[in-house]
Amino acid sequence: MPEYIKALIYVIAVAVPALLLANRLASPLIASRELWLWQGSWLAATVFAFLSRDFMVFIVLMSLLSVFIHLRSKEPAALYIVLLFSAPCLAVGIGIPGVFNRVLDLNLPRLLSLSLLLPVAIGLWSEPSNRSLRGVDLPAIGFWALLTALAARQDDIASVLRLLPGYFLDILLPYFVFSRIVRTRQHLDRVLTAIVVAALPLAAIGMFEFWRSWRVYYVVVLEWDIDLITPYLFRDGLLRAAVTAIEPIAFGFLCMVAAASAISITDRRISSRWRSLTVLLLLGGLGASISRGPWLGFALFVLVVLLSDSRARRTGMLAITGLLLAIYLLPMQVFERLFNLLPFVGSADRGSETYRERLFEQSLLVIQRQPLLGSKDFIAAPELQVLVQGQGIIDIVNSYLQVVLEFGLFGLALFVSVFAVLGGQLAVRWLRRKDEAAYYQGLLGLIVAIVFTIATTSSVSFIAQIYWVSAGMIAGLLRRPEVLNPAPDAERVGRDAPALQGIRVLGRGI
């Protein structure tokens, strides 16, 4: 049996139970026909990825699937999220024969932006209210505009043409669509649910990869004839699961955001049992990535949610106590292995922390020479060349450094302003509405987790798409303050926000 067929069988066998769990979680929010379309489309994309012997064949099949989705789905933007992580996130250069060898680095997220989001964006643009700019729209669109203008620094027209579509498809289009489609509390819940449904099967597959020390999606990469610098990454002798993200930290980032999303869904009809199982499975995927940045990011999310309401602190402390007790009861050998993997205190992969410190110090020297607008050739600076690793690369493991080195302090200010405005407005509205059923705590915790975690990694794989979708979704909430206010006849259970209930559910699960 060919390796790619064997891998496909394992993927389907592991993913189906996770999809059934996703069905249980999402059924109160998503119509059954639409939910089956979500899951059927994910399975179809997975089969396409493994059976396509060429990347361009996969692109054609996914394009046909996108047409089918537009014919059948009421919310194609949600399908963008569901399919965003369904195949290895690798780019292949697409050109115009006889004119340009390479005019676009095409990957699955960009294909889905073109085929699913662009038609939605055109429809949204036809409504005058969607063309007005408010709040966080200004720094977000300003950041995209600055990057677009700085593309003119490239030495040839082909390089300029390659960058411009990428900025549009990766930044502007996801942000615009999701900042305009979130118009009600139900819309917000469906976007959060789409993130969870997309991540659940991958979390299960990631745990399988960790258990078997086998990256099942690597056979797809080989079939597409794409070279990876480091196809397998280990920490303390343990395989770091990556599934379709290719990079373990990007997979951990996805599981972190999905777990926070599952806790933050506001709909009261979701069973606490299914929410608990969902979060625990996503945390299993997060653990399988062995990525300490997302681990700490999720811890910050939980901390923000717990601190937002004194009534949740007791439950949170009980959950933490139960977790510590469970760790204490582990066999000593397992406990020592786990302790070594922890950030700051563990001894595993200390070189990673040293490298990050040196990267920051050397980057400051480069930034001083061109502080305002950065440099397109920053990677060739002698100060950074001393950081070349054994694979022959310089890994800029900090998204903020990545931005400031290439686009300067102006670019960094706009980029940081997006998240600062979102976090600030969420905090202010939560403080003003603490006694009302407004649900800002979970989203505030999500922003804090994202802001922290991208300081530990560059925006590789689909990380940028995740945080731009999240930013757009939250911006849609802030454009319409009534989004999270319940209807007068809405069912209410106590006065706790669902994010706090989710933490309590997680505590009972532990």
Side-chain angles (χ1 to χ4, degrees):
M1 180 184 296
E3 186 76 4
Y4 65 91
I5 297 296
K6 179 182 176 182
L8 175 60
I9 292 173
Y10 276 115
V11 165
I12 298 298
V14 174
V16 166
L19 289 173
L20 293 176
L21 174 59
N23 190 294
R24 291 286 191 173
L25 178 84
S27 56
L29 293 84
I30 312 298
S32 58
R33 181 177 177 182
E34 187 75 12
L35 186 55
W36 282 113
L37 179 61
W38 286 16
Q39 298 177 329
S41 297
W42 188 93
L43 289 170
T46 300
V47 172
F48 293 163
F50 279 93
L51 299 186
S52 299
R53 307 302 296 276
D54 182 85
F55 180 75
M56 292 309 300
V57 173
F58 173 72
I59 291 299
V60 171
L61 292 173
M62 290 301 296
S63 299
L64 295 175
L65 178 61
S66 298
V67 173
F68 177 79
I69 287 170
H70 279 292
L71 294 175
R72 294 298 183 93
S73 176
K74 296 181 179 180
E75 295 181 286
L79 264 298
Y80 165 82
I81 296 175
V82 171
L83 297 178
L84 187 60
F85 322 111
S86 59
C89 189
L90 294 168
V92 172
I94 305 297
I96 302 174
V99 182
F100 297 114
N101 292 329
R102 182 180 168 198
V103 295
L104 175 64
D105 291 327
L106 186 62
N107 55 21
L108 178 60
R110 290 179 177 179
L111 172 67
L112 295 174
S113 286
L114 277 170
S115 60
L116 293 179
L117 292 190
L118 185 58
V120 174
I122 293 172
L124 291 170
W125 185 258
S126 64
E127 301 178 26
S129 62
N130 289 329
R131 296 197 290 268
S132 63
L133 302 182
R134 305 177 192 173
V136 76
D137 290 345
L138 297 176
I141 295 176
F143 180 70
W144 165 78
L146 176 65
L147 269 58
T148 299
L150 292 180
R153 299 184 299 187
Q154 299 301 315
D155 299 327
D156 57 275
I157 187 63
S159 297
V160 175
L161 293 177
R162 186 176 71 253
L163 291 175
L164 295 182
Y167 295 150
F168 175 75
L169 297 173
D170 294 344
I171 301 172
L172 185 62
L173 199 52
Y175 173 80
F176 175 78
V177 169
F178 288 96
S179 65
R180 270 59 182 176
I181 65 171
V182 174
R183 299 182 178 182
T184 67
R185 190 179 72 182
Q186 290 71 30
H187 288 154
L188 178 70
D189 281 345
R190 285 198 286 270
V191 174
L192 292 170
T193 302
I195 296 173
V196 175
V197 170
L200 269 176
L202 295 180
I205 297 167
M207 295 170 67
F208 175 80
E209 285 192 347
F210 175 81
W211 173 52
R212 293 292 299 270
S213 293
W214 175 33
R215 287 195 171 176
V216 291
Y217 281 92
Y218 184 52
V219 297
V220 177
V221 178
L222 294 176
E223 290 295 321
W224 289 352
D225 196 25
I226 299 175
D227 294 326
L228 295 181
I229 297 176
T230 51
Y232 279 71
L233 286 175
F234 293 84
R235 177 164 284 164
D236 197 29
L238 301 173
L239 176 69
R240 302 178 63 192
V243 292
T244 58
I246 304 301
E247 298 287 345
I249 197 165
F251 171 55
F253 186 81
L254 169 62
C255 291
M256 178 199 74
V257 170
S261 298
I263 292 172
S264 302
I265 294 172
T266 64
D267 198 293
R268 307 285 187 177
R269 294 171 295 171
I270 293 179
S271 165
S272 61
R273 175 194 307 169
W274 302 124
R275 193 195 294 258
S276 177
L277 290 174
T278 295
V279 174
L280 290 174
L281 179 55
L282 291 169
L283 292 182
L286 176 60
S289 71
I290 315 184
S291 298
R292 296 178 289 203
W295 289 0
L296 290 174
F298 185 76
L300 283 175
F301 165 80
V302 172
L303 181 64
V304 169
V305 172
L306 292 180
L307 292 179
S308 64
D309 193 306
S310 59
R311 291 166 294 181
R313 292 173 195 165
R314 181 179 178 183
T315 303
M317 290 304 298
L318 290 174
I320 293 171
T321 302
L323 179 61
L324 293 176
L325 179 61
I327 294 174
Y328 176 76
L329 295 176
L330 290 173
M332 182 57 65
Q333 185 178 4
V334 176
F335 175 79
E336 291 177 353
R337 196 76 178 271
L338 177 62
F339 185 83
N340 283 338
L341 294 174
L342 294 177
F344 307 122
V345 295
S347 59
D349 201 10
R350 280 288 179 87
S352 173
E353 298 175 11
T354 303
Y355 179 84
R356 293 171 191 275
E357 294 173 1
R358 291 194 63 204
L359 173 67
F360 183 78
E361 294 169 357
Q362 298 299 110
S363 296
L364 290 181
L365 300 176
V366 178
I367 293 168
Q368 290 174 7
R369 288 206 300 269
Q370 294 173 305
L372 297 182
L373 296 176
S375 169
K376 66 181 179 67
D377 299 321
F378 70 90
I379 204 70
E383 293 86 351
L384 291 182
Q385 285 298 307
V386 300
L387 299 174
V388 173
Q389 297 177 310
Q391 306 94 335
I393 63 171
I394 301 172
D395 195 2
I396 310 295
V397 285
N398 185 317
S399 292
Y400 303 109
L401 284 181
Q402 188 180 25
V403 169
V404 72
L405 285 167
E406 188 169 2
F407 307 114
L409 294 175
F410 283 162
L412 181 65
L414 290 169
F415 182 72
V416 171
S417 294
V418 173
F419 302 102
V421 171
L422 290 175
Q425 292 192 16
L426 285 171
V428 168
R429 294 192 181 190
W430 169 72
L431 289 171
R432 289 177 177 173
R433 303 185 181 197
K434 281 197 291 187
D435 296 329
E436 301 178 20
Y439 309 101
Y440 297 103
Q441 296 96 323
L443 296 179
L444 177 59
L446 176 59
I447 284 294
V448 171
I450 288 175
V451 166
F452 171 82
T453 306
I454 61 176
T456 68
T457 177
S458 57
S459 297
V460 293
S461 189
F462 39 60
I463 287 178
Q465 283 80 9
I466 293 174
Y467 62 64
W468 285 117
V469 167
S470 300
M473 168 186 69
I474 297 172
L477 155 68
L478 297 175
R479 284 172 63 88
R480 301 172 179 86
E482 73 280 2
V483 167
L484 292 184
N485 291 336
D489 59 346
E491 179 183 359
R492 298 182 62 180
V493 182
R495 300 184 65 140
D496 287 342
L500 302 179
Q501 290 186 346
I503 292 294
R504 291 191 169 120
V505 166
L506 180 57
R508 290 197 295 270
I510 295 174

